Amino acid sequence: MVQAREIDVLIVGGGFSTMPLVRELDASGVKWLMVSEMTPIWQQLEAADALDFDLVSSLQSSVYSFELVEMLKEQGEGFTDGFPTAREFYAIHKKYAARYADRIHQGRVDSIDNHPGHSIVHLDSGEQFRAQHVVIATAFRRQMNANLKQIRIDQSYAGKSVAVTSTGDSSNLLIAKLVAYGAKVHLVTNGFIMLDKMFATFSPFDDGPRFVPLDQLECHNFAEFSKWSYRAFIDGGYIHGLIHHWFARVFDRNSLGVRHPKSIRPHADIRSFFKAKAPVENGHIAIKYWPIDVYKLYCGETLEQKISDGYLINDLPFFLEHGHVKLWDKASTTIDRETGTISEKGETTRFDEIIDGDQEVPAIPEIRLRSDGASEHFFYKTRQQFLGVVSPRLRNIYTIGFTRPFTGGLNNISEMQCLLVHRMITEPEFRKSIRRNLKERIARYNDTYFSNRPHKKSDHLVWYGTYTDEVAKLLEIRPKRSDTPGLKGLIKYYMYPNNVFRFRETGRYAVDGVGELLAHTAKQYHDYKVLALLVIRYPFFELLALGTILLAPVPWWIKIPAAIIHNRLPFTSTLVGKFGLPTRESKAIFNYRKIISFPVLAYPVIATAIWATVGMETAFVFSAGLLAYVYAMIHLGTAKGWNRKFFCDMKSKRSPEMVGFFEIYRAVFGRVTTKK
């Protein structure tokens, strides 16, 4: 009989995703061991010479709090946010793997027997471990990982026709390489959401563009002030335009969904995006990409080096606009692999190669629940786990890394999960309090973060800032509004994104140096003043529109439904989205934006004064005139190229300047990749 080796905490898989946990376990004096095959996907990509890309998530949402603090100490004022390359990111992994090498047992876990007081972990080598607590962090199985390792895209693809049947960040990376080499891509899809991952902001505070990653604009806590305003701001009319496609065809004809209708997700799926009680529903897939205009500003002066580092143009909307990629509706497309053809509604085309993908599935070893001689199997289901970590059916087994963000970085979520698992392991009373009403906690979470719709395979995808906030509340490490007094404190509370280090400045899980990291980050983004000015626009623009309706000289039974219709349809969010950001540094453009924004911000005071002194009819004339002026000026600025939409600015993608730059990019890409 094999003698089981005893351990307090056994981590299965683990790797980089559990580094915050082992750090806390060491601090608590808890003995732990990791069992891993030590062949993570990052190592496999390195072995295949496939670490030739940058991350879709920013540095501050991809790297742990304590590592960011170390980076700030090492780099000082030169430390900036951005998008690390795959090589840079994997170098961090290797540093921690070396640090904890003596506590990593190389092997593969075959199965786990979960008993009421312990678990027996079986390795395929025949070894066994008896653990008081087991942490499973074995990541996902997905076909696209194999594609990234095995498919070598090079000059031989020039002029080829390639079909791709999967849509996501990884498949978009392959598409970027195919298009750069001159292949024609046929993307068979059921639609997608495209989000610009980097923005270039221009303001009087700066000399030139300031580059801001998407997650730095998410200001999750602003939803506490106004959920409706928050939704309108983060959307900019884009998602609402997908939900109300007929509306976009009339009022936003230059949108991605109108110009390329097959990019729209099925209505049954996309309509629930803003239907949950939470600001954004869980379960949606988004592709984060480099918009070509921002890429040009960010990489243009050092293009060869940036491409060599792995920064590639993966602007799928641009590729669609210029015919590099053609969309096929997955629901009505037939793929004949023997003849190499794709057909949809009478149209047929040939392809030379097909690249398939699948949906990611948790790579969890077999778990058998043992109790009173009975045995049953455990299967991971997102809506049956509390915060993706704790199951009512498992005893002292926790899961990490199976909840993923559709914006932001996975390690934001993993770090918070690690802190939750640490407290479950080290504080019996806390563990009892969680398990006492665990099913009710799960039900409340599901009721908040899912609308009334069936389960989906993508339910494990979350709006990262609301997820980290939920865990922070549970762990009692979430700063209160009263903890941040004054105007700066007000902006800090509502404008800072909920990256994990925000919750580790003070309290039980404080990390020394996080205060300096927060201050440095705030300085990099002008204390988020520019973001605050962008955020407050929506409620004032909406107030102008509703005020005009309510002041109109028509019966109340017309005013009320008109106000409701206006509020339910994305008139204001689409308008604010078109106003977006300035396209370049220009005093004239800054003044143009001021003469639109300032009257709207002053509208409540001026309209009230006119109503009180002259009367309601004059107030309506002023209100309607200002509204017409705002609409006219924003559309004028858009036509002149002064405004850039937040997401998928199709006007800039059609400009001769961007078309010319892409041809330059292709030539440089060819030179760089030929040298490798």
Side-chain angles (χ1 to χ4, degrees), residues 430-467:
F430 177 78
R431 182 168 67 248
K432 288 178 184 177
S433 71
I434 296 298
R435 296 199 66 90
R436 188 177 299 122
N437 61 344
L438 188 54
K439 290 185 178 179
E440 289 81 0
R441 290 176 182 271
I442 293 171
R444 284 199 300 270
Y445 181 87
N446 290 344
D447 184 57
T448 301
Y449 287 94
F450 296 100
S451 62
N452 184 23
R453 61 161 175 79
H455 292 218
K456 298 191 302 185
K457 291 181 180 179
S458 59
D459 279 346
H460 64 293
L461 299 173
V462 302
W463 190 244
Y464 87 89
T466 52
Y467 178 89

Short mmCIF file of all heavy atoms in Angstrom, two decimals, residues 430-467:
data_model
loop_
_atom_site.label_atom_id
_atom_site.label_comp_id
_atom_site.label_asym_id
_atom_site.label_seq_id
_atom_site.Cartn_x
_atom_site.Cartn_y
_atom_site.Cartn_z
N PHE A 430 -13.75 32.46 10.04
CA PHE A 430 -14.14 33.06 8.76
C PHE A 430 -14.66 31.98 7.83
O PHE A 430 -15.69 32.17 7.15
CB PHE A 430 -12.94 33.78 8.14
CG PHE A 430 -13.21 34.37 6.78
CD1 PHE A 430 -13.90 35.57 6.66
CD2 PHE A 430 -12.78 33.73 5.62
CE1 PHE A 430 -14.15 36.12 5.40
CE2 PHE A 430 -13.03 34.27 4.37
CZ PHE A 430 -13.72 35.47 4.27
N ARG A 431 -13.97 30.86 7.78
CA ARG A 431 -14.39 29.76 6.91
C ARG A 431 -15.80 29.27 7.29
O ARG A 431 -16.65 29.05 6.42
CB ARG A 431 -13.38 28.61 7.00
CG ARG A 431 -13.69 27.44 6.10
CD ARG A 431 -12.53 26.47 5.99
NE ARG A 431 -12.23 25.78 7.23
CZ ARG A 431 -11.12 25.96 7.96
NH1 ARG A 431 -10.20 26.83 7.56
NH2 ARG A 431 -10.92 25.28 9.06
N LYS A 432 -16.04 29.14 8.57
CA LYS A 432 -17.36 28.71 9.02
C LYS A 432 -18.44 29.72 8.64
O LYS A 432 -19.55 29.35 8.24
CB LYS A 432 -17.35 28.49 10.54
CG LYS A 432 -16.58 27.27 11.00
CD LYS A 432 -16.59 27.17 12.53
CE LYS A 432 -15.75 26.01 13.01
NZ LYS A 432 -15.69 25.95 14.50
N SER A 433 -18.11 30.99 8.79
CA SER A 433 -19.11 32.03 8.48
C SER A 433 -19.47 32.03 7.00
O SER A 433 -20.61 32.30 6.63
CB SER A 433 -18.59 33.41 8.90
OG SER A 433 -17.53 33.83 8.04
N ILE A 434 -18.49 31.73 6.15
CA ILE A 434 -18.76 31.67 4.71
C ILE A 434 -19.58 30.44 4.37
O ILE A 434 -20.56 30.51 3.61
CB ILE A 434 -17.44 31.67 3.91
CG1 ILE A 434 -16.67 32.98 4.12
CG2 ILE A 434 -17.71 31.44 2.41
CD1 ILE A 434 -17.38 34.22 3.64
N ARG A 435 -19.22 29.31 4.94
CA ARG A 435 -19.89 28.05 4.59
C ARG A 435 -21.29 27.95 5.21
O ARG A 435 -22.13 27.20 4.71
CB ARG A 435 -19.05 26.86 5.01
CG ARG A 435 -17.70 26.77 4.27
CD ARG A 435 -17.13 25.36 4.36
NE ARG A 435 -17.96 24.42 3.63
CZ ARG A 435 -17.80 24.12 2.34
NH1 ARG A 435 -16.86 24.70 1.64
NH2 ARG A 435 -18.60 23.24 1.77
N ARG A 436 -21.53 28.72 6.25
CA ARG A 436 -22.81 28.62 6.96
C ARG A 436 -23.99 28.91 6.04
O ARG A 436 -25.02 28.26 6.12
CB ARG A 436 -22.81 29.59 8.15
CG ARG A 436 -24.01 29.43 9.08
CD ARG A 436 -23.89 30.37 10.27
NE ARG A 436 -22.70 30.06 11.05
CZ ARG A 436 -21.71 30.93 11.31
NH1 ARG A 436 -21.77 32.16 10.82
NH2 ARG A 436 -20.67 30.57 12.04
N ASN A 437 -23.84 29.88 5.18
CA ASN A 437 -24.92 30.23 4.25
C ASN A 437 -24.38 30.33 2.82
O ASN A 437 -24.72 31.25 2.07
CB ASN A 437 -25.60 31.53 4.66
CG ASN A 437 -24.65 32.71 4.66
OD1 ASN A 437 -23.44 32.55 4.65
ND2 ASN A 437 -25.21 33.92 4.67
N LEU A 438 -23.54 29.38 2.45
CA LEU A 438 -22.82 29.45 1.18
C LEU A 438 -23.77 29.44 -0.01
O LEU A 438 -23.60 30.19 -0.97
CB LEU A 438 -21.83 28.29 1.09
CG LEU A 438 -20.86 28.29 -0.10
CD1 LEU A 438 -20.10 29.61 -0.18
CD2 LEU A 438 -19.89 27.13 0.01
N LYS A 439 -24.79 28.61 0.02
CA LYS A 439 -25.72 28.55 -1.11
C LYS A 439 -26.48 29.87 -1.27
O LYS A 439 -26.73 30.31 -2.39
CB LYS A 439 -26.70 27.39 -0.92
CG LYS A 439 -26.04 26.02 -1.08
CD LYS A 439 -27.06 24.90 -1.01
CE LYS A 439 -26.40 23.55 -1.23
NZ LYS A 439 -27.35 22.42 -1.14
N GLU A 440 -26.82 30.49 -0.14
CA GLU A 440 -27.50 31.78 -0.23
C GLU A 440 -26.57 32.86 -0.79
O GLU A 440 -27.00 33.71 -1.59
CB GLU A 440 -28.00 32.21 1.16
CG GLU A 440 -29.16 31.39 1.69
CD GLU A 440 -28.71 30.06 2.30
OE1 GLU A 440 -27.49 29.76 2.31
OE2 GLU A 440 -29.58 29.30 2.77
N ARG A 441 -25.30 32.81 -0.43
CA ARG A 441 -24.32 33.76 -0.97
C ARG A 441 -24.20 33.60 -2.49
O ARG A 441 -24.16 34.59 -3.23
CB ARG A 441 -22.96 33.55 -0.31
CG ARG A 441 -22.87 33.97 1.15
CD ARG A 441 -21.50 33.64 1.72
NE ARG A 441 -21.38 33.97 3.12
CZ ARG A 441 -20.99 35.15 3.60
NH1 ARG A 441 -20.69 36.12 2.76
NH2 ARG A 441 -20.90 35.36 4.90
N ILE A 442 -24.14 32.35 -2.93
CA ILE A 442 -24.04 32.09 -4.37
C ILE A 442 -25.28 32.60 -5.09
O ILE A 442 -25.19 33.23 -6.15
CB ILE A 442 -23.85 30.58 -4.62
CG1 ILE A 442 -22.49 30.12 -4.09
CG2 ILE A 442 -23.97 30.25 -6.11
CD1 ILE A 442 -22.30 28.62 -4.09
N ALA A 443 -26.45 32.35 -4.49
CA ALA A 443 -27.70 32.79 -5.11
C ALA A 443 -27.76 34.32 -5.22
O ALA A 443 -28.18 34.86 -6.24
CB ALA A 443 -28.89 32.27 -4.31
N ARG A 444 -27.30 35.02 -4.17
CA ARG A 444 -27.31 36.49 -4.20
C ARG A 444 -26.35 37.01 -5.26
O ARG A 444 -26.67 37.96 -5.98
CB ARG A 444 -26.93 37.06 -2.83
CG ARG A 444 -28.02 36.99 -1.79
CD ARG A 444 -27.75 37.96 -0.64
NE ARG A 444 -26.48 37.68 0.02
CZ ARG A 444 -26.35 36.86 1.06
NH1 ARG A 444 -27.40 36.22 1.54
NH2 ARG A 444 -25.17 36.67 1.62
N TYR A 445 -25.18 36.40 -5.35
CA TYR A 445 -24.21 36.83 -6.36
C TYR A 445 -24.77 36.62 -7.77
O TYR A 445 -24.71 37.51 -8.61
CB TYR A 445 -22.90 36.05 -6.20
CG TYR A 445 -21.84 36.45 -7.21
CD1 TYR A 445 -20.99 37.52 -6.95
CD2 TYR A 445 -21.71 35.79 -8.42
CE1 TYR A 445 -20.03 37.91 -7.88
CE2 TYR A 445 -20.76 36.18 -9.36
CZ TYR A 445 -19.92 37.24 -9.08
OH TYR A 445 -18.99 37.63 -10.00
N ASN A 446 -25.33 35.44 -8.00
CA ASN A 446 -25.90 35.16 -9.32
C ASN A 446 -27.04 36.10 -9.66
O ASN A 446 -27.19 36.54 -10.80
CB ASN A 446 -26.38 33.71 -9.39
CG ASN A 446 -25.22 32.71 -9.38
OD1 ASN A 446 -24.08 33.07 -9.62
ND2 ASN A 446 -25.53 31.46 -9.08
N ASP A 447 -27.85 36.41 -8.66
CA ASP A 447 -28.98 37.31 -8.87
C ASP A 447 -28.52 38.72 -9.22
O ASP A 447 -29.21 39.45 -9.94
CB ASP A 447 -29.85 37.35 -7.61
CG ASP A 447 -31.11 38.18 -7.79
OD1 ASP A 447 -31.89 37.88 -8.71
OD2 ASP A 447 -31.29 39.15 -7.02
N THR A 448 -27.33 39.09 -8.75
CA THR A 448 -26.79 40.43 -9.01
C THR A 448 -26.07 40.50 -10.35
O THR A 448 -26.22 41.49 -11.09
CB THR A 448 -25.81 40.84 -7.89
OG1 THR A 448 -26.50 40.83 -6.63
CG2 THR A 448 -25.24 42.23 -8.14
N TYR A 449 -25.31 39.47 -10.69
CA TYR A 449 -24.40 39.56 -11.83
C TYR A 449 -24.86 38.81 -13.08
O TYR A 449 -24.16 38.83 -14.09
CB TYR A 449 -23.00 39.09 -11.42
CG TYR A 449 -22.33 40.10 -10.53
CD1 TYR A 449 -22.42 39.99 -9.14
CD2 TYR A 449 -21.67 41.19 -11.06
CE1 TYR A 449 -21.83 40.94 -8.31
CE2 TYR A 449 -21.09 42.15 -10.25
CZ TYR A 449 -21.17 42.02 -8.88
OH TYR A 449 -20.61 42.97 -8.07
N PHE A 450 -26.02 38.17 -13.00
CA PHE A 450 -26.58 37.53 -14.20
C PHE A 450 -28.03 37.99 -14.36
O PHE A 450 -28.78 38.05 -13.39
CB PHE A 450 -26.54 36.01 -14.08
CG PHE A 450 -25.16 35.43 -14.03
CD1 PHE A 450 -24.59 35.05 -12.82
CD2 PHE A 450 -24.41 35.28 -15.19
CE1 PHE A 450 -23.31 34.53 -12.76
CE2 PHE A 450 -23.13 34.75 -15.14
CZ PHE A 450 -22.58 34.38 -13.92
N SER A 451 -28.39 38.33 -15.59
CA SER A 451 -29.79 38.63 -15.86
C SER A 451 -30.56 37.32 -15.96
O SER A 451 -29.99 36.24 -15.83
CB SER A 451 -29.92 39.43 -17.16
OG SER A 451 -29.45 38.66 -18.26
N ASN A 452 -31.83 37.44 -16.19
CA ASN A 452 -32.68 36.24 -16.27
C ASN A 452 -32.50 35.58 -17.64
O ASN A 452 -33.29 35.77 -18.56
CB ASN A 452 -34.14 36.62 -16.04
CG ASN A 452 -35.05 35.41 -16.00
OD1 ASN A 452 -34.60 34.30 -15.73
ND2 ASN A 452 -36.33 35.61 -16.28
N ARG A 453 -31.43 34.82 -17.76
CA ARG A 453 -31.14 34.13 -19.02
C ARG A 453 -30.54 32.77 -18.72
O ARG A 453 -30.08 32.50 -17.60
CB ARG A 453 -30.16 34.95 -19.87
CG ARG A 453 -28.81 35.18 -19.21
CD ARG A 453 -27.75 35.56 -20.22
NE ARG A 453 -26.47 35.89 -19.60
CZ ARG A 453 -25.59 35.01 -19.17
NH1 ARG A 453 -25.85 33.71 -19.25
NH2 ARG A 453 -24.43 35.39 -18.64
N PRO A 454 -30.51 31.87 -19.70
CA PRO A 454 -29.92 30.54 -19.48
C PRO A 454 -28.42 30.63 -19.23
O PRO A 454 -27.77 31.64 -19.56
CB PRO A 454 -30.21 29.80 -20.80
CG PRO A 454 -31.31 30.56 -21.45
CD PRO A 454 -31.14 31.98 -21.02
N HIS A 455 -27.86 29.57 -18.68
CA HIS A 455 -26.41 29.49 -18.48
C HIS A 455 -25.71 29.51 -19.83
O HIS A 455 -26.23 29.03 -20.83
CB HIS A 455 -26.05 28.19 -17.74
CG HIS A 455 -26.53 28.18 -16.32
ND1 HIS A 455 -25.80 27.63 -15.30
CD2 HIS A 455 -27.67 28.64 -15.74
CE1 HIS A 455 -26.47 27.75 -14.16
NE2 HIS A 455 -27.60 28.35 -14.42
N LYS A 456 -24.48 30.06 -19.84
CA LYS A 456 -23.63 30.05 -21.04
C LYS A 456 -22.25 29.52 -20.66
O LYS A 456 -21.84 29.59 -19.50
CB LYS A 456 -23.47 31.46 -21.61
CG LYS A 456 -24.74 32.13 -22.07
CD LYS A 456 -24.43 33.39 -22.87
CE LYS A 456 -23.63 34.40 -22.10
NZ LYS A 456 -23.44 35.67 -22.84
N LYS A 457 -21.54 29.03 -21.66
CA LYS A 457 -20.18 28.56 -21.41
C LYS A 457 -19.24 29.70 -21.04
O LYS A 457 -18.16 29.47 -20.50
CB LYS A 457 -19.64 27.83 -22.65
CG LYS A 457 -20.33 26.49 -22.90
CD LYS A 457 -19.74 25.79 -24.12
CE LYS A 457 -20.42 24.46 -24.37
NZ LYS A 457 -19.88 23.76 -25.57
N SER A 458 -19.66 30.92 -21.31
CA SER A 458 -18.83 32.09 -21.00
C SER A 458 -19.22 32.77 -19.68
O SER A 458 -18.76 33.88 -19.40
CB SER A 458 -18.92 33.12 -22.14
OG SER A 458 -20.26 33.52 -22.34
N ASP A 459 -20.01 32.11 -18.86
CA ASP A 459 -20.45 32.71 -17.60
C ASP A 459 -19.30 33.02 -16.65
O ASP A 459 -19.46 33.80 -15.70
CB ASP A 459 -21.46 31.80 -16.89
CG ASP A 459 -22.87 31.95 -17.45
OD1 ASP A 459 -23.13 32.92 -18.17
OD2 ASP A 459 -23.71 31.07 -17.16
N HIS A 460 -18.15 32.40 -16.86
CA HIS A 460 -17.00 32.62 -15.97
C HIS A 460 -16.28 33.94 -16.28
O HIS A 460 -15.35 34.31 -15.56
CB HIS A 460 -16.00 31.47 -16.10
CG HIS A 460 -15.39 31.35 -17.45
ND1 HIS A 460 -16.10 31.00 -18.58
CD2 HIS A 460 -14.10 31.54 -17.88
CE1 HIS A 460 -15.30 30.98 -19.62
NE2 HIS A 460 -14.09 31.30 -19.23
N LEU A 461 -16.72 34.66 -17.32
CA LEU A 461 -16.09 35.93 -17.67
C LEU A 461 -16.78 37.07 -16.92
O LEU A 461 -18.00 37.19 -16.95
CB LEU A 461 -16.18 36.16 -19.18
CG LEU A 461 -15.47 35.11 -20.03
CD1 LEU A 461 -15.76 35.33 -21.51
CD2 LEU A 461 -13.97 35.12 -19.78
N VAL A 462 -15.99 37.92 -16.26
CA VAL A 462 -16.55 38.95 -15.38
C VAL A 462 -16.00 40.32 -15.73
O VAL A 462 -14.94 40.46 -16.35
CB VAL A 462 -16.24 38.64 -13.89
CG1 VAL A 462 -16.79 37.27 -13.50
CG2 VAL A 462 -14.73 38.70 -13.61
N TRP A 463 -16.75 41.35 -15.34
CA TRP A 463 -16.27 42.74 -15.38
C TRP A 463 -15.33 42.88 -14.18
O TRP A 463 -15.75 42.92 -13.04
CB TRP A 463 -17.47 43.67 -15.27
CG TRP A 463 -17.25 45.12 -15.53
CD1 TRP A 463 -17.39 46.13 -14.63
CD2 TRP A 463 -16.90 45.73 -16.78
NE1 TRP A 463 -17.16 47.34 -15.23
CE2 TRP A 463 -16.86 47.13 -16.55
CE3 TRP A 463 -16.62 45.25 -18.05
CZ2 TRP A 463 -16.53 48.03 -17.56
CZ3 TRP A 463 -16.30 46.15 -19.05
CH2 TRP A 463 -16.26 47.53 -18.80
N TYR A 464 -14.03 42.93 -14.44
CA TYR A 464 -13.06 42.64 -13.38
C TYR A 464 -13.18 43.56 -12.17
O TYR A 464 -12.99 43.12 -11.02
CB TYR A 464 -11.63 42.67 -13.94
CG TYR A 464 -10.96 44.02 -13.95
CD1 TYR A 464 -10.23 44.47 -12.85
CD2 TYR A 464 -11.04 44.86 -15.05
CE1 TYR A 464 -9.62 45.70 -12.85
CE2 TYR A 464 -10.42 46.09 -15.06
CZ TYR A 464 -9.72 46.52 -13.96
OH TYR A 464 -9.12 47.75 -13.95
N GLY A 465 -13.49 44.83 -12.38
CA GLY A 465 -13.51 45.77 -11.27
C GLY A 465 -14.64 45.55 -10.29
O GLY A 465 -14.51 45.88 -9.10
N THR A 466 -15.77 45.02 -10.76
CA THR A 466 -16.84 44.70 -9.83
C THR A 466 -16.54 43.39 -9.10
O THR A 466 -16.92 43.22 -7.94
CB THR A 466 -18.19 44.59 -10.56
OG1 THR A 466 -18.08 43.70 -11.67
CG2 THR A 466 -18.64 45.94 -11.07
N TYR A 467 -15.80 42.49 -9.77
CA TYR A 467 -15.42 41.24 -9.11
C TYR A 467 -14.43 41.51 -7.97
O TYR A 467 -14.62 41.04 -6.84
CB TYR A 467 -14.81 40.26 -10.11
CG TYR A 467 -14.36 38.98 -9.44
CD1 TYR A 467 -15.24 37.91 -9.29
CD2 TYR A 467 -13.08 38.85 -8.91
CE1 TYR A 467 -14.85 36.75 -8.64
CE2 TYR A 467 -12.69 37.70 -8.25
CZ TYR A 467 -13.58 36.65 -8.13
OH TYR A 467 -13.19 35.51 -7.47
#
